């Protein structure tokens, strides 16, 4: 069986929503201290809906594929729904990832959450800090580039 699903390969080769939003309402930047990969997510919010989203990543193929899929999953959705997006949902939408690459999908989840938090902070919107707890890295020390 191939290591990566067709969907992962497709999103890696043709990532959606790559770039930067100059007029972003929220920007989230996260990094994985172990592999050094960095991801930045930009969201545009209108009336509680994410109307546009872009990302940049200095990361591995799985980081590119998962952030691409994450942007597809949150675009056009209410901001609260984006906050609920889990790395598990992103991985499922990509038809799976090898176990040692799961931590790359955590980066995508965290980047979305960081962008939402930035949006809340900039707009003085109260939120439950519990929702912004750091995710556990499920495969500490196993970056496997
Ligand atoms: Fe670091 Fe994938 S995000 S190896």
């Amino acid at each position: 069986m191939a290591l990566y699903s067709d969907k992962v390969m497709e999103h890696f080769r043709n990532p959606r929503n790559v770039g930067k939003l100059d007029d972003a309402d929220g920007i989230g930047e996260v990094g994985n201290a172990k592999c050094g990969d960095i991801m930045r997510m930009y969201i545009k919010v209108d009336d509680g809906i994410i109307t546009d989203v872009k990302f940049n990543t200095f990361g591995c193929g799985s980081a590119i594929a998962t952030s691409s899929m994450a942007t597809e999953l949150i675009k056009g959705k209410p901001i609260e729904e984006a906050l609920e997006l889990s790395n598990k949902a992103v991985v499922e939408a990509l038809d799976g990832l090898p176990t040692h690459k799961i931590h790359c999908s955590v980066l995508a989840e965290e980047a979305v959450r960081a962008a939402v938090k930035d949006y809340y902070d900039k707009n003085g919107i109260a939120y439950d800090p519990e929702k912004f707890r750091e995710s556990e890295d499920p495969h500490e020390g196993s970056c496997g580039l």
Side-chain angles (χ1 to χ4, degrees):
M1 203 184 97
L3 190 57
Y4 293 104
S5 72
D6 290 346
K7 273 197 196 166
V8 171
M9 292 311 294
E10 212 275 304
H11 276 264
F12 167 58
R13 291 197 179 108
N14 303 297
R16 325 295 199 265
N17 305 307
V18 173
K20 182 180 173 203
L21 289 176
D22 287 326
D23 57 347
D25 295 309
I27 302 172
E29 184 175 304
V30 292
N32 182 313
K34 301 196 184 67
C35 61
D37 289 352
I38 293 170
M39 191 181 293
R40 193 175 291 152
M41 188 77 66
Y42 303 84
I43 55 171
K44 184 91 195 125
V45 183
D46 192 13
D47 214 8
I49 304 289
I50 297 181
T51 54
D52 205 0
V53 52
K54 293 254 187 282
F55 80 94
N56 273 318
T57 189
F58 182 74
C60 70
S62 298
I64 292 169
T66 52
S67 32
S68 167
M69 180 54 89
T71 61
E72 292 250 284
L73 292 173
I74 65 168
K75 201 170 182 175
K77 298 277 167 54
I79 196 152
E80 294 79 20
E81 237 176 86
L83 198 48
E84 299 300 323
L85 180 76
S86 67
N87 75 301
K88 194 165 170 270
V90 175
V91 171
E92 274 170 17
L94 285 168
D95 294 337
L97 267 183
T99 312
H100 69 281
K101 301 303 283 183
I102 296 290
H103 73 277
C104 315
S105 65
V106 173
L107 207 57
E109 176 196 308
E110 287 181 347
V112 170
R113 276 216 308 255
V116 171
K117 185 174 183 297
D118 185 49
Y119 168 75
Y120 284 163
D121 286 341
K122 281 181 175 149
N123 289 278
I125 299 170
Y127 53 81
D128 176 4
E130 271 296 295
K131 294 205 181 232
F132 295 96
R133 263 184 309 126
E134 291 215 347
S135 309
E136 281 172 35
D137 184 337
H139 294 283
E140 212 171 314
S142 61
C143 246
L145 298 166

